[in-house]
Amino acid sequence: MKKVKTHFKVNGKPVELELEPRRLLVSVLRDDLGLTGAHQGCDTTNCGACTVLVDGKAVKSCTMLGVQANGKEILTIEGLAKEGQLHPIQKAFIEKQGLQCGFSTPGMIMTSCWMLNQNKNLSEDEIKRMLHGNICRCTGYQGIVEAVKYAQEMMKKQEISKQ
Ligand code: FES
C-alpha cells in the first residue's frame, strides 16, 4: 500500500512519518512512536482508553487515522507532566484513588484535561456526563469523579496564584 508522508506534533515535538493510510492513530502512537499510554481497549469507540487531545479536543485515537493527524498537535498522557511535575489531574487521580487497575486511567485523565481546560466550574453531574465515553471495567467511578473534582479545585487555585 502506498504510504503518505505525515507531519504532526506530539507532546510538542515535531514528527514526520510515512504512514499507510489505513493505520489508526492509536497504533501509530503506540507502535511507531513508543507512546504506549494510549491504550487499546476495544477498537469500537466505546471504552475511551485510547483518548488523546488533538488540537486541544479529546479524541478517541482508535477512531482517527494516523494520516488525519497531519498538521495537528497531539497531546498524550506522556506529555502532560511538565518539568518533572505531574499535572494536577495526575496528582488528583493518585490522591483520590481514581486509578484502580490503571488501564482506563490515561484516557480518563486526557478526557478530564479536555473538560477542565474548557470549564473549571463543573458540577458532579456535568463531570459524570462528560466522562460517559470513558469506561472503567473495575466498575468504581466514585474515585474518578472525586479526582476530577479535586483536580478542578487545584487548577483553580493555581490560576488564582498566577494572577
Ligand atoms: S480503544 Fe478506542 S475507544 Fe476503546
Side-chain angles (χ1 to χ4, degrees):
M1 187 179 284
K2 190 175 179 301
K3 293 188 176 180
V4 177
K5 197 171 271 192
T6 309
H7 304 260
F8 52 97
K9 275 191 181 176
V10 180
N11 301 331
K13 292 189 190 126
V15 170
E16 184 184 315
L17 294 169
E18 299 266 342
L19 297 175
E20 285 182 24
R22 65 181 178 89
R23 292 190 58 218
L24 298 174
L25 178 61
V26 65
S27 62
V28 172
L29 292 171
R30 291 178 59 83
D31 302 335
D32 298 25
L33 301 174
L35 297 167
T36 55
H39 291 156
Q40 275 180 285
C42 67
D43 281 342
T44 53
T45 322
N46 284 307
C47 75
C50 62
T51 305
V52 298
L53 301 195
V54 178
D55 288 345
K57 290 192 185 136
V59 169
K60 292 178 178 178
S61 59
C62 74
T63 64
M64 180 172 166
L65 297 168
V67 292
Q68 290 177 304
N70 194 48
K72 309 244 182 255
E73 297 223 11
I74 315 279
L75 182 67
T76 71
I77 189 80
E78 290 89 346
L80 214 48
K82 295 274 177 272
E83 294 160 11
Q85 287 293 311
L86 291 178
H87 188 282
I89 301 173
Q90 292 172 303
K91 288 183 187 167
F93 268 70
I94 295 169
E95 193 85 14
K96 297 293 175 185
Q97 293 159 6
L99 300 164
Q100 306 181 108
C101 83
F103 191 83
S104 67
T105 308
M108 293 278 183
I109 289 178
M110 296 315 290
T111 301
S112 303
C113 187
W114 163 72
M115 294 190 305
L116 297 180
N117 283 344
Q118 296 175 82
N119 183 356
K120 293 177 189 62
N121 293 299
L122 296 170
S123 67
E124 186 164 324
D125 280 350
E126 286 171 323
I127 291 170
K128 287 179 182 170
R129 226 181 4 259
M130 291 176 93
L131 275 176
H132 82 278
N134 291 74
I135 295 170
C136 168
R137 287 191 175 165
C138 302
T139 72
Y141 290 89
Q142 199 52 42
I144 293 164
V145 172
E146 290 302 320
V148 178
K149 282 161 58 184
Y150 187 56
Q152 176 166 256
E153 292 314 309
M154 280 199 282
M155 290 169 78
K156 276 199 274 198
K157 278 185 196 153
Q158 272 187 354
E159 279 184 3
I160 291 166
S161 71
K162 278 185 199 157
Q163 288 169 1

